[in-house]
Amino acid sequence: MSEMPRFAAGATVRVKDDWPERRGPCHIRTPHYIRGRTGTVVRPLGAFANPEDLAFAKPAPKRTLYHVLFAQEPLWQEGKAGDTVMVEVFEHWLEPHPIKQEA
Amino acid sequence: MAAPPRPDSIALLDRLMAALVARGIVTEAEVAERQANTDKASPETGARMVARAWTDPAYRALLLSDGRAAAEEMGVSMAGAPPLGVLENAPGRHHLVVCTLCSCYPRAVLGYPPNWYKSFAYRSRAVREPRQVLAEWGLNLPDTVEVRVVDSTADYRWMVLPMRPAGTEGWDATRLAALVTRDALVGVAVPVAA
């Protein structure tokens, strides 16, 4: 990995509430249901060529990919407390979240 | 089974392949090799890896830290395959793998994904109501177990390392591997001693 990951394991992060598909053709690996939601970094998974560029045969710089953990219940307003969803999210979709999450 | 390919689809594939070869993007041999590797892969590969992890602590550590190296140690060719991550089930945590965006699946160690894995129903429901989906498969997990859905959205591929079932003390890896089904490696089932 050429650059240090911006977020460490345990960091609270918010997925950007961004909808590039409304602005034109794109290829996005960030599922809708986590956009704007807050989760916890499980660990950085390494750096991979940005699929949003690769899909259009553009030069694709490597971006750090993270495993991010979300509580299941707040995502859907249903489900069982304590259940979780873990998603691979690229760094440019994540922003630091100021509010400390309770353990 | 899928319908046989239509002649116009085959003709289109031939033209695409000829264009890729002409531009030096792939060779016929590379495509044949990848196809042969995927044809050769089956859930038995994943099952052998799990059974060895149950009986060999050093291999278990390797499997959890570097799935690709662990697969290669079992003779699987991982050339060109995405990194393999392994999700360790525990008494308090059960993993369930889904790809909500398409159908990412650890083909190198499990072979081709089953049709249900690619269905809209599984992809939309597994991430939203995993306990109901598991219950429909006959797997009722107690409330004390965290269900952790793993949405395979990007560059990794994920396989579950299930817990070794009770009543298998003293079994060797070959006998154990026979208990590990494809469904257990995705997390829609758990192995049980027959």
Side-chain angles (χ1 to χ4, degrees), chain B residues 71-90:
Chain B
E72 281 177 340
E73 185 153 324
M74 298 298 270
V76 178
S77 167
M78 296 296 281
L84 175 68
V86 178
L87 306 155
E88 183 181 28
N89 281 354

PDB file of all heavy atoms in Angstrom, chain B residues 71-90:
ATOM      1  N   ALA B  71      -5.431 -21.338   0.501  1.00  0.00           N
ATOM      2  CA  ALA B  71      -5.972 -22.070  -0.648  1.00  0.00           C
ATOM      3  C   ALA B  71      -4.843 -22.654  -1.475  1.00  0.00           C
ATOM      4  O   ALA B  71      -4.895 -23.813  -1.900  1.00  0.00           O
ATOM      5  CB  ALA B  71      -6.843 -21.144  -1.494  1.00  0.00           C
ATOM      6  N   GLU B  72      -3.798 -21.841  -1.681  1.00  0.00           N
ATOM      7  CA  GLU B  72      -2.669 -22.326  -2.483  1.00  0.00           C
ATOM      8  C   GLU B  72      -1.989 -23.514  -1.809  1.00  0.00           C
ATOM      9  O   GLU B  72      -1.547 -24.443  -2.484  1.00  0.00           O
ATOM     10  CB  GLU B  72      -1.687 -21.183  -2.756  1.00  0.00           C
ATOM     11  CG  GLU B  72      -2.208 -20.313  -3.890  1.00  0.00           C
ATOM     12  CD  GLU B  72      -1.356 -19.096  -4.194  1.00  0.00           C
ATOM     13  OE1 GLU B  72      -0.564 -18.686  -3.322  1.00  0.00           O
ATOM     14  OE2 GLU B  72      -1.527 -18.545  -5.299  1.00  0.00           O
ATOM     15  N   GLU B  73      -1.953 -23.478  -0.475  1.00  0.00           N
ATOM     16  CA  GLU B  73      -1.345 -24.603   0.234  1.00  0.00           C
ATOM     17  C   GLU B  73      -2.114 -25.904   0.007  1.00  0.00           C
ATOM     18  O   GLU B  73      -1.559 -26.999   0.113  1.00  0.00           O
ATOM     19  CB  GLU B  73      -1.249 -24.293   1.732  1.00  0.00           C
ATOM     20  CG  GLU B  73      -0.523 -25.400   2.458  1.00  0.00           C
ATOM     21  CD  GLU B  73       0.166 -24.945   3.725  1.00  0.00           C
ATOM     22  OE1 GLU B  73       0.673 -23.807   3.744  1.00  0.00           O
ATOM     23  OE2 GLU B  73       0.201 -25.746   4.674  1.00  0.00           O
ATOM     24  N   MET B  74      -3.409 -25.791  -0.324  1.00  0.00           N
ATOM     25  CA  MET B  74      -4.216 -26.982  -0.626  1.00  0.00           C
ATOM     26  C   MET B  74      -4.187 -27.313  -2.122  1.00  0.00           C
ATOM     27  O   MET B  74      -4.994 -28.108  -2.598  1.00  0.00           O
ATOM     28  CB  MET B  74      -5.659 -26.775  -0.169  1.00  0.00           C
ATOM     29  CG  MET B  74      -5.810 -26.567   1.324  1.00  0.00           C
ATOM     30  SD  MET B  74      -5.262 -27.986   2.324  1.00  0.00           S
ATOM     31  CE  MET B  74      -6.786 -28.925   2.436  1.00  0.00           C
ATOM     32  N   GLY B  75      -3.306 -26.637  -2.861  1.00  0.00           N
ATOM     33  CA  GLY B  75      -3.140 -26.963  -4.270  1.00  0.00           C
ATOM     34  C   GLY B  75      -4.074 -26.216  -5.209  1.00  0.00           C
ATOM     35  O   GLY B  75      -4.194 -26.563  -6.376  1.00  0.00           O
ATOM     36  N   VAL B  76      -4.761 -25.177  -4.693  1.00  0.00           N
ATOM     37  CA  VAL B  76      -5.671 -24.405  -5.531  1.00  0.00           C
ATOM     38  C   VAL B  76      -4.885 -23.299  -6.227  1.00  0.00           C
ATOM     39  O   VAL B  76      -4.117 -22.586  -5.575  1.00  0.00           O
ATOM     40  CB  VAL B  76      -6.786 -23.764  -4.671  1.00  0.00           C
ATOM     41  CG1 VAL B  76      -7.715 -22.919  -5.530  1.00  0.00           C
ATOM     42  CG2 VAL B  76      -7.561 -24.835  -3.926  1.00  0.00           C
ATOM     43  N   SER B  77      -5.075 -23.150  -7.544  1.00  0.00           N
ATOM     44  CA  SER B  77      -4.419 -22.055  -8.244  1.00  0.00           C
ATOM     45  C   SER B  77      -5.192 -20.774  -7.997  1.00  0.00           C
ATOM     46  O   SER B  77      -6.366 -20.673  -8.336  1.00  0.00           O
ATOM     47  CB  SER B  77      -4.357 -22.347  -9.738  1.00  0.00           C
ATOM     48  OG  SER B  77      -4.006 -21.158 -10.424  1.00  0.00           O
ATOM     49  N   MET B  78      -4.549 -19.783  -7.362  1.00  0.00           N
ATOM     50  CA  MET B  78      -5.216 -18.514  -7.069  1.00  0.00           C
ATOM     51  C   MET B  78      -4.732 -17.415  -8.007  1.00  0.00           C
ATOM     52  O   MET B  78      -4.990 -16.231  -7.778  1.00  0.00           O
ATOM     53  CB  MET B  78      -4.967 -18.110  -5.610  1.00  0.00           C
ATOM     54  CG  MET B  78      -5.557 -19.067  -4.584  1.00  0.00           C
ATOM     55  SD  MET B  78      -7.365 -19.146  -4.624  1.00  0.00           S
ATOM     56  CE  MET B  78      -7.809 -17.640  -3.717  1.00  0.00           C
ATOM     57  N   ALA B  79      -4.016 -17.800  -9.077  1.00  0.00           N
ATOM     58  CA  ALA B  79      -3.500 -16.797 -10.017  1.00  0.00           C
ATOM     59  C   ALA B  79      -4.670 -16.025 -10.628  1.00  0.00           C
ATOM     60  O   ALA B  79      -5.586 -16.623 -11.182  1.00  0.00           O
ATOM     61  CB  ALA B  79      -2.685 -17.487 -11.097  1.00  0.00           C
ATOM     62  N   GLY B  80      -4.620 -14.714 -10.505  1.00  0.00           N
ATOM     63  CA  GLY B  80      -5.667 -13.886 -11.086  1.00  0.00           C
ATOM     64  C   GLY B  80      -6.949 -13.839 -10.270  1.00  0.00           C
ATOM     65  O   GLY B  80      -7.876 -13.117 -10.622  1.00  0.00           O
ATOM     66  N   ALA B  81      -7.017 -14.623  -9.184  1.00  0.00           N
ATOM     67  CA  ALA B  81      -8.236 -14.627  -8.364  1.00  0.00           C
ATOM     68  C   ALA B  81      -8.188 -13.486  -7.354  1.00  0.00           C
ATOM     69  O   ALA B  81      -7.111 -13.090  -6.907  1.00  0.00           O
ATOM     70  CB  ALA B  81      -8.380 -15.961  -7.644  1.00  0.00           C
ATOM     71  N   PRO B  82      -9.344 -12.940  -6.966  1.00  0.00           N
ATOM     72  CA  PRO B  82      -9.351 -11.878  -5.951  1.00  0.00           C
ATOM     73  C   PRO B  82      -8.882 -12.423  -4.605  1.00  0.00           C
ATOM     74  O   PRO B  82      -8.899 -13.635  -4.387  1.00  0.00           O
ATOM     75  CB  PRO B  82     -10.832 -11.469  -5.876  1.00  0.00           C
ATOM     76  CG  PRO B  82     -11.509 -12.116  -7.025  1.00  0.00           C
ATOM     77  CD  PRO B  82     -10.682 -13.301  -7.414  1.00  0.00           C
ATOM     78  N   PRO B  83      -8.468 -11.534  -3.681  1.00  0.00           N
ATOM     79  CA  PRO B  83      -8.093 -12.002  -2.343  1.00  0.00           C
ATOM     80  C   PRO B  83      -9.261 -12.730  -1.679  1.00  0.00           C
ATOM     81  O   PRO B  83     -10.417 -12.384  -1.906  1.00  0.00           O
ATOM     82  CB  PRO B  83      -7.775 -10.717  -1.574  1.00  0.00           C
ATOM     83  CG  PRO B  83      -7.756  -9.617  -2.554  1.00  0.00           C
ATOM     84  CD  PRO B  83      -8.392 -10.080  -3.820  1.00  0.00           C
ATOM     85  N   LEU B  84      -8.917 -13.752  -0.895  1.00  0.00           N
ATOM     86  CA  LEU B  84      -9.942 -14.537  -0.205  1.00  0.00           C
ATOM     87  C   LEU B  84      -9.914 -14.204   1.284  1.00  0.00           C
ATOM     88  O   LEU B  84      -8.881 -14.355   1.924  1.00  0.00           O
ATOM     89  CB  LEU B  84      -9.685 -16.034  -0.419  1.00  0.00           C
ATOM     90  CG  LEU B  84     -10.612 -16.986   0.341  1.00  0.00           C
ATOM     91  CD1 LEU B  84     -12.032 -16.900  -0.187  1.00  0.00           C
ATOM     92  CD2 LEU B  84     -10.102 -18.426   0.249  1.00  0.00           C
ATOM     93  N   GLY B  85     -11.031 -13.745   1.813  1.00  0.00           N
ATOM     94  CA  GLY B  85     -11.169 -13.505   3.248  1.00  0.00           C
ATOM     95  C   GLY B  85     -11.987 -14.623   3.866  1.00  0.00           C
ATOM     96  O   GLY B  85     -12.895 -15.162   3.230  1.00  0.00           O
ATOM     97  N   VAL B  86     -11.636 -14.999   5.097  1.00  0.00           N
ATOM     98  CA  VAL B  86     -12.339 -16.093   5.767  1.00  0.00           C
ATOM     99  C   VAL B  86     -12.951 -15.565   7.059  1.00  0.00           C
ATOM    100  O   VAL B  86     -12.286 -14.897   7.853  1.00  0.00           O
ATOM    101  CB  VAL B  86     -11.381 -17.274   6.033  1.00  0.00           C
ATOM    102  CG1 VAL B  86     -12.100 -18.394   6.778  1.00  0.00           C
ATOM    103  CG2 VAL B  86     -10.822 -17.803   4.707  1.00  0.00           C
ATOM    104  N   LEU B  87     -14.232 -15.853   7.251  1.00  0.00           N
ATOM    105  CA  LEU B  87     -15.033 -15.321   8.355  1.00  0.00           C
ATOM    106  C   LEU B  87     -15.250 -16.427   9.374  1.00  0.00           C
ATOM    107  O   LEU B  87     -15.855 -17.457   9.070  1.00  0.00           O
ATOM    108  CB  LEU B  87     -16.375 -14.820   7.815  1.00  0.00           C
ATOM    109  CG  LEU B  87     -16.247 -13.819   6.657  1.00  0.00           C
ATOM    110  CD1 LEU B  87     -17.496 -13.830   5.792  1.00  0.00           C
ATOM    111  CD2 LEU B  87     -15.955 -12.426   7.194  1.00  0.00           C
ATOM    112  N   GLU B  88     -14.735 -16.196  10.600  1.00  0.00           N
ATOM    113  CA  GLU B  88     -14.713 -17.248  11.611  1.00  0.00           C
ATOM    114  C   GLU B  88     -15.994 -17.230  12.463  1.00  0.00           C
ATOM    115  O   GLU B  88     -16.205 -16.302  13.253  1.00  0.00           O
ATOM    116  CB  GLU B  88     -13.481 -17.036  12.513  1.00  0.00           C
ATOM    117  CG  GLU B  88     -13.292 -18.099  13.569  1.00  0.00           C
ATOM    118  CD  GLU B  88     -12.077 -17.807  14.446  1.00  0.00           C
ATOM    119  OE1 GLU B  88     -11.709 -16.626  14.612  1.00  0.00           O
ATOM    120  OE2 GLU B  88     -11.492 -18.778  14.969  1.00  0.00           O
ATOM    121  N   ASN B  89     -16.809 -18.264  12.313  1.00  0.00           N
ATOM    122  CA  ASN B  89     -17.970 -18.377  13.196  1.00  0.00           C
ATOM    123  C   ASN B  89     -17.513 -18.756  14.600  1.00  0.00           C
ATOM    124  O   ASN B  89     -16.488 -19.419  14.772  1.00  0.00           O
ATOM    125  CB  ASN B  89     -18.954 -19.431  12.672  1.00  0.00           C
ATOM    126  CG  ASN B  89     -19.824 -18.900  11.537  1.00  0.00           C
ATOM    127  OD1 ASN B  89     -19.780 -17.711  11.215  1.00  0.00           O
ATOM    128  ND2 ASN B  89     -20.618 -19.781  10.958  1.00  0.00           N
ATOM    129  N   ALA B  90     -18.282 -18.305  15.588  1.00  0.00           N
ATOM    130  CA  ALA B  90     -17.950 -18.565  16.983  1.00  0.00           C
ATOM    131  C   ALA B  90     -19.268 -18.813  17.721  1.00  0.00           C
ATOM    132  O   ALA B  90     -20.343 -18.555  17.168  1.00  0.00           O
ATOM    133  CB  ALA B  90     -17.204 -17.365  17.568  1.00  0.00           C
TER     134      ALA B  90
END
